[in-house]
Amino acid sequence: MKMTNESEEEKPIDMEFKLKAALKCSGSLSGEMDPSEIEKFVTSCNTDLLRRGAPPGCGAEIVKWNVAKDKIELKIVSDRFVRAHDALLRVKKELGKLLGKHRIGIRGIEIEKYKIALEWKAEGELKIHKLPFVKEIKQEKERLELLLDVDESALDKRIPDRLIRLVEDKRDAARWKGKSEHWELLFESDKKPFLFDKDPTEEMLQRDWIQHAAGRGQYIYGPQLTRIFRALEKILLDEILMPLGYKEMIFPKFVAWDVWKRSGHAKGIYPEAYYVCTPKTRDPEYWEDVMDYFKVTNEVPVDMIMGKIENVGGMCYAQCPPFWVFLQGKILANETLPITVFDRSGTSYRYESGGLHGIERLDEFHRVEIVWIGNKQQTIAHSKELREMYRHIFNDILDIEWREAWVTPWFMAQEGKAGLAELKEVGTVDYEAVLPYSDKWLEFQNVSVNGDKYPKGFSVKLQSGEELWSGCSGVGLERWAAVFLAQKGLDTENWPEKFKTIVGELPEVFKFL
Amino acid sequence: MKMTNESEEEKPIDMEFKLKAALKCSGSLSGEMDPSEIEKFVTSCNTDLLRRGAPPGCGAEIVKWNVAKDKIELKIVSDRFVRAHDALLRVKKELGKLLGKHRIGIRGIEIEKYKIALEWKAEGELKIHKLPFVKEIKQEKERLELLLDVDESALDKRIPDRLIRLVEDKRDAARWKGKSEHWELLFESDKKPFLFDKDPTEEMLQRDWIQHAAGRGQYIYGPQLTRIFRALEKILLDEILMPLGYKEMIFPKFVAWDVWKRSGHAKGIYPEAYYVCTPKTRDPEYWEDVMDYFKVTNEVPVDMIMGKIENVGGMCYAQCPPFWVFLQGKILANETLPITVFDRSGTSYRYESGGLHGIERLDEFHRVEIVWIGNKQQTIAHSKELREMYRHIFNDILDIEWREAWVTPWFMAQEGKAGLAELKEVGTVDYEAVLPYSDKWLEFQNVSVNGDKYPKGFSVKLQSGEELWSGCSGVGLERWAAVFLAQKGLDTENWPEKFKTIVGELPEVFKFL
């Protein structure tokens, strides 16, 4: 009798692996070895070695073999349990022992042909056109066939297994596609009277509070808006960070690829990243032709430059990943928990979709990033405390209309994954507020419990051995300001008393004719 | 009698221009025009048109001409006064009027050959191997011959003139090469007893105050050093910025090429820049192969990425240039002067030479940038006031051993130019302090009067029409800390009383096993 209800489980997809390969040896085999010896070896592979670990009747099989001079040619077929490439590696190892007795070594593996077929129910219109390490893709109604382009080192790196996982991920992503991200209302503020119905960015441009900068999605902030930003920062410090014992740190703002590999962003950040490249060399002579070209044409030769630089990472996107290098590979003393730190040392970047946006959707923006680390209970409890305190700020100081929702965790969204509604402890709470001028809701802040994601990714452990968790919350100064100014307008006399006092008088510095 | 002492003037270099070109017309000339008409035209060019503006006996001359179907072929030779390419443009214009009477238009210019020869005394070992828009370079003892590769649009852009200026600049640069930059002592503090002889970076690494980040020349700053940075910032604010009425702004940190074209950095920044590239498109499908490659190999395919991004500028290098876009093309009201603003909103980058350095030489660093704008008198007076106040900080609060020197203006150094000792009003004062552990002097700060450089570069004018000047001063937090910690050590009990009070207790957050 089966213990689980099989209909509720996802059936394992059937797979078929067909591999033609040769093991290249250090000397000729034909003279040295009795063919019956190899035949015996193959039989033992098929009855034992290539079935180990697989359910009865399953595993891999050498269906054809041939000895030609210094090569042993093999054809291996298998199911999902001992995949043909794993089978080949097992064979190589065992055969090595056998040949060793004849003073022959195995030099390497040559792969002639490797075909993988998967039982495949494509979701929707998912077509797979191109895959790395794949020469040919045949997609039929319920079957996906991949003709691989791999060598021995690719087998060592487990490329075939990762390929299978990749196509499975693509199928899962297609399942989510079209379905909206998860969104569940947690809290809603009182309705508030709106004092303004214009786009605050437009209004600030007219008043010379801000100017368009030279880059896309980038502004230069004059003294008035900067004063508002600093007031918002002060509220965050006074109401949350100081009372909760947060200490300031300075997180890196250039993010090397290794950080994004560990944080998971290297899976999907590409369409939105601001890439950073460094010179291939600092030798001025190497750059002389670029300088000469500029001096002669007054144009920067960007194509020429592209050949002289190399991509090493990108600019800050999510703010906390590079912080984790501070703890990388370390064991934290129990007594230090919970750890609470924040950073406000620089700019963040997103390559946003084209067209003009206001300060609510920028390529370059400014954020205070808050990080807390503890055991599971501490981390969850801290996130609740934070949420209480944010509620106080939005209700009692900024006096805005806003709401809180449980959404797809930010790190999954940034890795290109869809929402998991079933997550209850790990996940993201988004804060949204309505912009009266457009009647759209804007996400202006979040609080996330990231589970053990970062400690795992950066190999950070706790002295006690207990699981280490973390959370983070990003306060976008432009977003806070966009929401506040959209609802309250730019005239300080209409602002809530408490906030007005914190901001003080807005400085007037520039006057243009 | 000559009014100037000729031996003190630099004699104009003799130049020779030889241009073979054809003017292509909209119809055949041979049938339409009497050859004598063209002959008359050429004579009038040689006696009048191509001599206009040149000293007697100087200018350009058409030495050969020929009409072939719809083309007029010309050979023009000239001296420096009416350069052959200018002569050609004059001829084109005048001939256009003449041909117009025959209802023939000039379609364009075809350049067969253009050779420029300069009298040339190369400095030292200067060899010119390669130049943009030049096919062939012949460098003889006292003569430089350039065979150009230009078309009509290159003439329109004045490429030949800029080429000549470029080689002259190279010669001037070679003259400066080897000579050290200008350096002149202005002030020296009292000798101070040093309390520390170690490298503070090493010591901070050992105490876990900082950790190496994932990028080159990049650290993650823990709570202790961050507290020290914020104390230094507070001193700057309390002692200088607030008393002098400075207002905070937020300057962009990504710098588009257009900014560096206007600031002059596009002339020479290349070997040291951190380049920023953006995706050619934000379409996730365009990036799918990159994501797939990463998912299958766990390696980021940087070469693949390089083909999908484009260079749009770089990260903040000198901090004030992108601020000037705020004022670009504007006219400032007189009453607003002097303008005093500062920025502390993000990181700066320099691709520093290889090897490990401490926090005194970083690829990623943090700086408060101070900018003042006024008429000439205001700007100079303000720089003196600033210097007084800095002196007070270094002597009375930080209590360090330091000195002040008059050096090559920073913007000239950054454009690849050498020092001008003769500048007396425009220029840079560097602040240097000795690092006891290495016995080297470190530049940790500067105060610069930039003259009208930025208002000119960004087309900013003053209501009164008076010349607008500006100055800037960069306070590198890492540099200030490096100097202070190197001289005073990391133990707060040894620090000067005033500074100790401002810093308060250093926070202890992390403890590793």
Short mmCIF file of all heavy atoms in Angstrom, two decimals, chain A residues 169-218:
data_model
loop_
_atom_site.label_atom_id
_atom_site.label_comp_id
_atom_site.label_asym_id
_atom_site.label_seq_id
_atom_site.Cartn_x
_atom_site.Cartn_y
_atom_site.Cartn_z
N ASP A 169 13.31 24.63 -15.59
CA ASP A 169 13.04 25.98 -15.07
C ASP A 169 12.28 26.82 -16.09
O ASP A 169 11.38 27.58 -15.74
CB ASP A 169 14.36 26.71 -14.74
CG ASP A 169 14.94 26.27 -13.41
OD1 ASP A 169 14.27 25.49 -12.70
OD2 ASP A 169 16.07 26.69 -13.09
N LYS A 170 12.66 26.67 -17.35
CA LYS A 170 11.97 27.43 -18.40
C LYS A 170 10.50 27.02 -18.46
O LYS A 170 9.62 27.87 -18.64
CB LYS A 170 12.62 27.19 -19.76
CG LYS A 170 13.92 27.97 -19.96
CD LYS A 170 14.50 27.66 -21.33
CE LYS A 170 15.88 28.26 -21.49
NZ LYS A 170 15.87 29.74 -21.55
N ARG A 171 10.25 25.73 -18.30
CA ARG A 171 8.87 25.26 -18.32
C ARG A 171 8.11 25.82 -17.11
O ARG A 171 6.97 26.29 -17.24
CB ARG A 171 8.85 23.74 -18.30
CG ARG A 171 7.49 23.13 -18.55
CD ARG A 171 7.45 21.71 -18.02
NE ARG A 171 8.02 21.70 -16.67
CZ ARG A 171 8.50 20.63 -16.08
NH1 ARG A 171 8.52 19.47 -16.69
NH2 ARG A 171 9.00 20.70 -14.85
N ASP A 172 8.77 25.82 -15.95
CA ASP A 172 8.11 26.36 -14.77
C ASP A 172 7.83 27.85 -14.93
O ASP A 172 6.77 28.33 -14.56
CB ASP A 172 8.98 26.14 -13.52
CG ASP A 172 9.10 24.66 -13.19
OD1 ASP A 172 8.30 23.85 -13.74
OD2 ASP A 172 10.00 24.30 -12.40
N ALA A 173 8.81 28.56 -15.49
CA ALA A 173 8.63 30.00 -15.69
C ALA A 173 7.46 30.24 -16.63
O ALA A 173 6.66 31.15 -16.42
CB ALA A 173 9.91 30.62 -16.25
N ALA A 174 7.34 29.41 -17.66
CA ALA A 174 6.24 29.57 -18.61
C ALA A 174 4.91 29.33 -17.92
O ALA A 174 3.89 29.96 -18.25
CB ALA A 174 6.41 28.61 -19.78
N ARG A 175 4.91 28.43 -16.95
CA ARG A 175 3.68 28.18 -16.19
C ARG A 175 3.23 29.42 -15.44
O ARG A 175 2.05 29.69 -15.30
CB ARG A 175 3.95 27.08 -15.15
CG ARG A 175 3.61 25.74 -15.68
CD ARG A 175 3.64 24.68 -14.60
NE ARG A 175 3.83 23.41 -15.29
CZ ARG A 175 4.29 22.31 -14.73
NH1 ARG A 175 4.62 22.31 -13.46
NH2 ARG A 175 4.41 21.22 -15.43
N TRP A 176 4.24 30.16 -14.92
CA TRP A 176 3.91 31.36 -14.15
C TRP A 176 3.55 32.54 -15.03
O TRP A 176 2.86 33.45 -14.62
CB TRP A 176 5.09 31.75 -13.25
CG TRP A 176 5.23 30.84 -12.09
CD1 TRP A 176 6.23 29.94 -11.88
CD2 TRP A 176 4.36 30.74 -10.96
NE1 TRP A 176 6.03 29.28 -10.71
CE2 TRP A 176 4.89 29.74 -10.11
CE3 TRP A 176 3.17 31.38 -10.59
CZ2 TRP A 176 4.28 29.38 -8.92
CZ3 TRP A 176 2.57 31.02 -9.40
CH2 TRP A 176 3.11 30.03 -8.58
N LYS A 177 4.09 32.49 -16.24
CA LYS A 177 3.95 33.63 -17.14
C LYS A 177 2.48 33.96 -17.34
O LYS A 177 1.66 33.07 -17.52
CB LYS A 177 4.60 33.32 -18.48
CG LYS A 177 5.13 34.56 -19.18
CD LYS A 177 5.85 34.19 -20.45
CE LYS A 177 6.11 35.45 -21.27
NZ LYS A 177 6.86 35.11 -22.48
N GLY A 178 2.19 35.22 -17.34
CA GLY A 178 0.79 35.59 -17.53
C GLY A 178 0.09 35.67 -16.20
O GLY A 178 -0.67 36.59 -15.96
N LYS A 179 0.37 34.70 -15.32
CA LYS A 179 -0.21 34.84 -13.98
C LYS A 179 0.46 36.03 -13.31
O LYS A 179 1.66 36.20 -13.40
CB LYS A 179 0.03 33.58 -13.16
CG LYS A 179 -0.64 32.36 -13.76
CD LYS A 179 -0.43 31.14 -12.92
CE LYS A 179 -0.89 29.92 -13.72
NZ LYS A 179 -0.62 28.65 -13.06
N SER A 180 -0.30 36.83 -12.63
CA SER A 180 0.31 37.99 -12.00
C SER A 180 1.11 37.52 -10.79
O SER A 180 0.93 36.42 -10.30
CB SER A 180 -0.77 38.98 -11.58
OG SER A 180 -1.69 38.33 -10.73
N GLU A 181 2.01 38.39 -10.35
CA GLU A 181 2.78 38.06 -9.16
C GLU A 181 1.84 37.98 -7.97
O GLU A 181 0.73 38.52 -7.99
CB GLU A 181 3.84 39.14 -8.91
CG GLU A 181 4.86 39.18 -10.01
CD GLU A 181 6.15 39.84 -9.53
OE1 GLU A 181 6.12 40.47 -8.46
OE2 GLU A 181 7.17 39.68 -10.21
N HIS A 182 2.31 37.32 -6.96
CA HIS A 182 1.48 37.18 -5.78
C HIS A 182 1.28 38.54 -5.12
O HIS A 182 2.19 39.35 -5.06
CB HIS A 182 2.15 36.22 -4.81
CG HIS A 182 1.31 35.99 -3.59
ND1 HIS A 182 0.14 35.27 -3.65
CD2 HIS A 182 1.44 36.39 -2.32
CE1 HIS A 182 -0.40 35.25 -2.45
NE2 HIS A 182 0.37 35.93 -1.62
N TRP A 183 0.08 38.80 -4.65
CA TRP A 183 -0.21 40.07 -3.99
C TRP A 183 -1.39 39.86 -3.03
O TRP A 183 -2.45 39.40 -3.42
CB TRP A 183 -0.57 41.14 -5.02
CG TRP A 183 -0.63 42.53 -4.46
CD1 TRP A 183 0.38 43.44 -4.42
CD2 TRP A 183 -1.76 43.16 -3.83
NE1 TRP A 183 -0.03 44.60 -3.83
CE2 TRP A 183 -1.34 44.46 -3.44
CE3 TRP A 183 -3.06 42.77 -3.53
CZ2 TRP A 183 -2.18 45.36 -2.79
CZ3 TRP A 183 -3.91 43.66 -2.87
CH2 TRP A 183 -3.46 44.95 -2.51
N GLU A 184 -1.17 40.16 -1.77
CA GLU A 184 -2.20 39.89 -0.77
C GLU A 184 -2.20 41.05 0.23
O GLU A 184 -1.18 41.33 0.87
CB GLU A 184 -1.82 38.57 -0.06
CG GLU A 184 -2.80 38.05 0.95
CD GLU A 184 -2.19 36.86 1.70
OE1 GLU A 184 -1.30 36.17 1.14
OE2 GLU A 184 -2.58 36.65 2.86
N LEU A 185 -3.32 41.71 0.36
CA LEU A 185 -3.40 42.90 1.22
C LEU A 185 -3.25 42.51 2.69
O LEU A 185 -3.91 41.60 3.18
CB LEU A 185 -4.74 43.61 1.01
CG LEU A 185 -4.89 44.94 1.75
CD1 LEU A 185 -3.94 45.98 1.20
CD2 LEU A 185 -6.33 45.45 1.68
N LEU A 186 -2.37 43.23 3.41
CA LEU A 186 -2.18 42.97 4.83
C LEU A 186 -2.74 44.09 5.70
O LEU A 186 -3.19 43.85 6.82
CB LEU A 186 -0.68 42.85 5.16
CG LEU A 186 0.11 41.71 4.51
CD1 LEU A 186 1.55 41.76 4.99
CD2 LEU A 186 -0.51 40.36 4.83
N PHE A 187 -2.68 45.29 5.20
CA PHE A 187 -3.10 46.44 6.01
C PHE A 187 -3.39 47.61 5.08
O PHE A 187 -2.74 47.77 4.05
CB PHE A 187 -1.98 46.83 6.99
CG PHE A 187 -2.24 48.11 7.73
CD1 PHE A 187 -2.94 48.10 8.94
CD2 PHE A 187 -1.80 49.33 7.22
CE1 PHE A 187 -3.21 49.29 9.61
CE2 PHE A 187 -2.06 50.52 7.90
CZ PHE A 187 -2.76 50.49 9.10
N GLU A 188 -4.30 48.42 5.48
CA GLU A 188 -4.66 49.57 4.66
C GLU A 188 -4.87 50.76 5.59
O GLU A 188 -5.56 50.62 6.61
CB GLU A 188 -5.97 49.26 3.93
CG GLU A 188 -6.11 49.95 2.60
CD GLU A 188 -7.30 49.34 1.82
OE1 GLU A 188 -8.06 48.53 2.39
OE2 GLU A 188 -7.43 49.69 0.64
N SER A 189 -4.27 51.89 5.29
CA SER A 189 -4.43 53.08 6.15
C SER A 189 -5.81 53.69 5.94
O SER A 189 -6.53 53.30 5.01
CB SER A 189 -3.36 54.11 5.81
OG SER A 189 -3.70 54.78 4.62
N ASP A 190 -6.14 54.65 6.75
CA ASP A 190 -7.35 55.43 6.51
C ASP A 190 -7.22 56.19 5.20
O ASP A 190 -6.11 56.48 4.75
CB ASP A 190 -7.53 56.48 7.64
CG ASP A 190 -7.78 55.82 8.98
OD1 ASP A 190 -8.22 54.65 8.99
OD2 ASP A 190 -7.50 56.47 10.02
N LYS A 191 -8.33 56.51 4.61
CA LYS A 191 -8.32 57.42 3.45
C LYS A 191 -7.88 58.80 3.92
O LYS A 191 -8.19 59.21 5.04
CB LYS A 191 -9.73 57.54 2.85
CG LYS A 191 -10.28 56.23 2.31
CD LYS A 191 -9.90 56.03 0.84
CE LYS A 191 -10.11 54.59 0.42
NZ LYS A 191 -9.02 54.02 -0.36
N LYS A 192 -7.13 59.47 3.07
CA LYS A 192 -6.66 60.81 3.44
C LYS A 192 -7.09 61.80 2.37
O LYS A 192 -7.16 61.44 1.18
CB LYS A 192 -5.12 60.82 3.53
CG LYS A 192 -4.55 59.96 4.63
CD LYS A 192 -4.74 60.59 6.01
CE LYS A 192 -4.65 59.57 7.13
NZ LYS A 192 -3.33 59.02 7.36
N PRO A 193 -7.37 63.03 2.76
CA PRO A 193 -7.66 64.04 1.73
C PRO A 193 -6.38 64.40 0.99
O PRO A 193 -5.34 64.62 1.63
CB PRO A 193 -8.17 65.24 2.55
CG PRO A 193 -7.56 65.06 3.90
CD PRO A 193 -7.36 63.59 4.12
N PHE A 194 -6.43 64.40 -0.32
CA PHE A 194 -5.23 64.76 -1.09
C PHE A 194 -5.24 66.25 -1.36
O PHE A 194 -6.26 66.84 -1.69
CB PHE A 194 -5.19 63.98 -2.40
CG PHE A 194 -5.10 62.49 -2.19
CD1 PHE A 194 -5.84 61.62 -2.97
CD2 PHE A 194 -4.29 61.96 -1.20
CE1 PHE A 194 -5.76 60.25 -2.78
CE2 PHE A 194 -4.20 60.59 -1.00
CZ PHE A 194 -4.95 59.73 -1.79
N LEU A 195 -4.04 66.86 -1.22
CA LEU A 195 -3.94 68.32 -1.33
C LEU A 195 -3.36 68.76 -2.66
O LEU A 195 -3.06 69.91 -2.86
CB LEU A 195 -3.07 68.85 -0.19
CG LEU A 195 -3.46 68.33 1.20
CD1 LEU A 195 -2.43 68.74 2.23
CD2 LEU A 195 -4.85 68.86 1.57
N PHE A 196 -3.15 67.79 -3.56
CA PHE A 196 -2.37 68.09 -4.76
C PHE A 196 -2.80 67.10 -5.83
O PHE A 196 -3.06 65.94 -5.52
CB PHE A 196 -0.90 67.90 -4.39
CG PHE A 196 0.10 68.50 -5.34
CD1 PHE A 196 0.14 69.87 -5.55
CD2 PHE A 196 1.02 67.70 -6.00
CE1 PHE A 196 1.09 70.42 -6.41
CE2 PHE A 196 1.97 68.24 -6.85
CZ PHE A 196 2.00 69.61 -7.06
N ASP A 197 -2.88 67.55 -7.08
CA ASP A 197 -3.25 66.57 -8.11
C ASP A 197 -2.31 66.63 -9.30
O ASP A 197 -2.62 66.16 -10.37
CB ASP A 197 -4.70 66.79 -8.56
CG ASP A 197 -4.89 68.17 -9.17
OD1 ASP A 197 -3.91 68.95 -9.21
OD2 ASP A 197 -6.01 68.47 -9.60
N LYS A 198 -1.13 67.25 -9.08
CA LYS A 198 -0.17 67.35 -10.19
C LYS A 198 0.94 66.32 -10.01
O LYS A 198 1.07 65.68 -8.98
CB LYS A 198 0.43 68.75 -10.21
CG LYS A 198 -0.59 69.87 -10.38
CD LYS A 198 0.08 71.10 -10.98
CE LYS A 198 -0.89 72.27 -11.01
NZ LYS A 198 -0.96 72.94 -9.68
N ASP A 199 1.75 66.21 -11.06
CA ASP A 199 2.94 65.36 -11.00
C ASP A 199 4.03 66.16 -10.28
O ASP A 199 4.47 67.19 -10.77
CB ASP A 199 3.37 65.03 -12.43
CG ASP A 199 4.65 64.21 -12.48
OD1 ASP A 199 5.31 64.06 -11.43
OD2 ASP A 199 5.01 63.73 -13.57
N PRO A 200 4.44 65.71 -9.10
CA PRO A 200 5.41 66.52 -8.33
C PRO A 200 6.72 66.74 -9.07
O PRO A 200 7.36 67.78 -8.91
CB PRO A 200 5.62 65.72 -7.05
CG PRO A 200 5.00 64.38 -7.26
CD PRO A 200 4.02 64.50 -8.38
N THR A 201 7.13 65.78 -9.91
CA THR A 201 8.38 65.96 -10.65
C THR A 201 8.27 67.16 -11.59
O THR A 201 9.17 68.00 -11.64
CB THR A 201 8.71 64.69 -11.46
OG1 THR A 201 8.79 63.59 -10.56
CG2 THR A 201 10.03 64.83 -12.18
N GLU A 202 7.18 67.22 -12.32
CA GLU A 202 6.97 68.35 -13.23
C GLU A 202 7.01 69.67 -12.47
O GLU A 202 7.62 70.64 -12.90
CB GLU A 202 5.61 68.21 -13.93
CG GLU A 202 5.59 67.13 -15.00
CD GLU A 202 6.69 67.32 -16.03
OE1 GLU A 202 6.91 68.47 -16.44
OE2 GLU A 202 7.35 66.32 -16.38
N GLU A 203 6.33 69.67 -11.33
CA GLU A 203 6.25 70.88 -10.52
C GLU A 203 7.64 71.27 -9.99
O GLU A 203 8.01 72.45 -9.98
CB GLU A 203 5.28 70.62 -9.36
CG GLU A 203 4.90 71.83 -8.54
CD GLU A 203 4.02 72.83 -9.29
OE1 GLU A 203 3.43 72.47 -10.33
OE2 GLU A 203 3.95 73.99 -8.82
N MET A 204 8.41 70.27 -9.59
CA MET A 204 9.76 70.57 -9.08
C MET A 204 10.67 71.08 -10.19
O MET A 204 11.52 71.94 -9.96
CB MET A 204 10.35 69.33 -8.42
CG MET A 204 9.71 69.03 -7.06
SD MET A 204 10.61 67.80 -6.10
CE MET A 204 10.22 66.32 -7.00
N LEU A 205 10.50 70.54 -11.40
CA LEU A 205 11.30 71.04 -12.53
C LEU A 205 10.96 72.50 -12.79
O LEU A 205 11.86 73.32 -13.03
CB LEU A 205 11.01 70.20 -13.78
CG LEU A 205 11.71 68.84 -13.84
CD1 LEU A 205 11.09 67.94 -14.93
CD2 LEU A 205 13.21 68.98 -14.09
N GLN A 206 9.69 72.82 -12.71
CA GLN A 206 9.29 74.21 -12.95
C GLN A 206 9.83 75.17 -11.90
O GLN A 206 10.17 76.29 -12.20
CB GLN A 206 7.78 74.30 -13.00
CG GLN A 206 7.28 74.31 -14.42
CD GLN A 206 5.78 74.41 -14.50
OE1 GLN A 206 5.11 74.77 -13.54
NE2 GLN A 206 5.26 74.09 -15.67
N ARG A 207 9.89 74.67 -10.66
CA ARG A 207 10.38 75.53 -9.58
C ARG A 207 11.90 75.52 -9.46
O ARG A 207 12.45 76.08 -8.51
CB ARG A 207 9.79 75.06 -8.25
CG ARG A 207 8.29 75.25 -8.14
CD ARG A 207 7.83 74.95 -6.72
NE ARG A 207 6.39 74.97 -6.62
CZ ARG A 207 5.73 75.09 -5.48
NH1 ARG A 207 6.39 75.19 -4.33
NH2 ARG A 207 4.42 75.08 -5.46
N ASP A 208 12.59 74.79 -10.37
CA ASP A 208 14.06 74.64 -10.30
C ASP A 208 14.51 73.94 -9.01
O ASP A 208 15.62 74.19 -8.53
CB ASP A 208 14.78 75.98 -10.46
CG ASP A 208 14.66 76.52 -11.87
OD1 ASP A 208 14.77 75.72 -12.82
OD2 ASP A 208 14.45 77.73 -12.04
N TRP A 209 13.67 73.11 -8.46
CA TRP A 209 14.11 72.29 -7.32
C TRP A 209 15.01 71.16 -7.80
O TRP A 209 15.84 70.67 -7.06
CB TRP A 209 12.90 71.67 -6.60
CG TRP A 209 12.15 72.60 -5.72
CD1 TRP A 209 12.17 73.97 -5.75
CD2 TRP A 209 11.26 72.23 -4.65
NE1 TRP A 209 11.34 74.47 -4.77
CE2 TRP A 209 10.77 73.43 -4.10
CE3 TRP A 209 10.83 71.01 -4.14
CZ2 TRP A 209 9.88 73.43 -3.02
CZ3 TRP A 209 9.92 71.02 -3.07
CH2 TRP A 209 9.46 72.21 -2.52
N ILE A 210 14.75 70.70 -9.00
CA ILE A 210 15.56 69.64 -9.60
C ILE A 210 15.80 70.00 -11.06
O ILE A 210 15.09 70.84 -11.62
CB ILE A 210 14.87 68.25 -9.54
CG1 ILE A 210 13.50 68.30 -10.23
CG2 ILE A 210 14.71 67.78 -8.10
CD1 ILE A 210 12.79 66.94 -10.29
N GLN A 211 16.80 69.38 -11.66
CA GLN A 211 17.05 69.52 -13.09
C GLN A 211 17.34 68.14 -13.65
O GLN A 211 17.88 67.29 -12.95
CB GLN A 211 18.27 70.42 -13.37
CG GLN A 211 18.24 71.79 -12.72
CD GLN A 211 17.36 72.79 -13.45
OE1 GLN A 211 16.84 72.51 -14.53
NE2 GLN A 211 17.18 73.96 -12.85
N HIS A 212 16.97 67.95 -14.91
CA HIS A 212 17.39 66.71 -15.58
C HIS A 212 18.91 66.66 -15.61
O HIS A 212 19.55 67.64 -15.96
CB HIS A 212 16.88 66.67 -17.02
CG HIS A 212 15.42 66.39 -17.12
ND1 HIS A 212 14.90 65.15 -16.83
CD2 HIS A 212 14.37 67.16 -17.46
CE1 HIS A 212 13.57 65.20 -16.99
NE2 HIS A 212 13.23 66.40 -17.36
N ALA A 213 19.49 65.52 -15.27
CA ALA A 213 20.93 65.35 -15.41
C ALA A 213 21.23 64.88 -16.83
O ALA A 213 20.31 64.71 -17.64
CB ALA A 213 21.44 64.35 -14.39
N ALA A 214 22.51 64.65 -17.13
CA ALA A 214 22.88 64.29 -18.50
C ALA A 214 22.54 62.84 -18.84
O ALA A 214 22.43 62.48 -20.00
CB ALA A 214 24.37 64.55 -18.72
N GLY A 215 22.36 61.99 -17.82
CA GLY A 215 22.06 60.58 -18.06
C GLY A 215 20.57 60.32 -18.11
O GLY A 215 19.77 61.15 -17.68
N ARG A 216 20.17 59.16 -18.61
CA ARG A 216 18.74 58.80 -18.65
C ARG A 216 18.29 58.47 -17.23
O ARG A 216 19.05 57.92 -16.43
CB ARG A 216 18.52 57.62 -19.60
CG ARG A 216 18.72 56.27 -18.98
CD ARG A 216 18.97 55.19 -19.97
NE ARG A 216 17.82 54.73 -20.73
CZ ARG A 216 16.92 53.85 -20.32
NH1 ARG A 216 16.98 53.34 -19.10
NH2 ARG A 216 15.95 53.46 -21.10
N GLY A 217 17.05 58.82 -16.92
CA GLY A 217 16.49 58.49 -15.60
C GLY A 217 17.32 59.03 -14.45
O GLY A 217 17.50 58.37 -13.45
N GLN A 218 17.84 60.23 -14.62
CA GLN A 218 18.77 60.78 -13.64
C GLN A 218 18.47 62.27 -13.44
O GLN A 218 18.29 62.99 -14.41
CB GLN A 218 20.19 60.60 -14.19
CG GLN A 218 21.30 60.83 -13.21
CD GLN A 218 22.67 60.84 -13.90
OE1 GLN A 218 22.82 61.35 -14.99
NE2 GLN A 218 23.66 60.31 -13.21
#
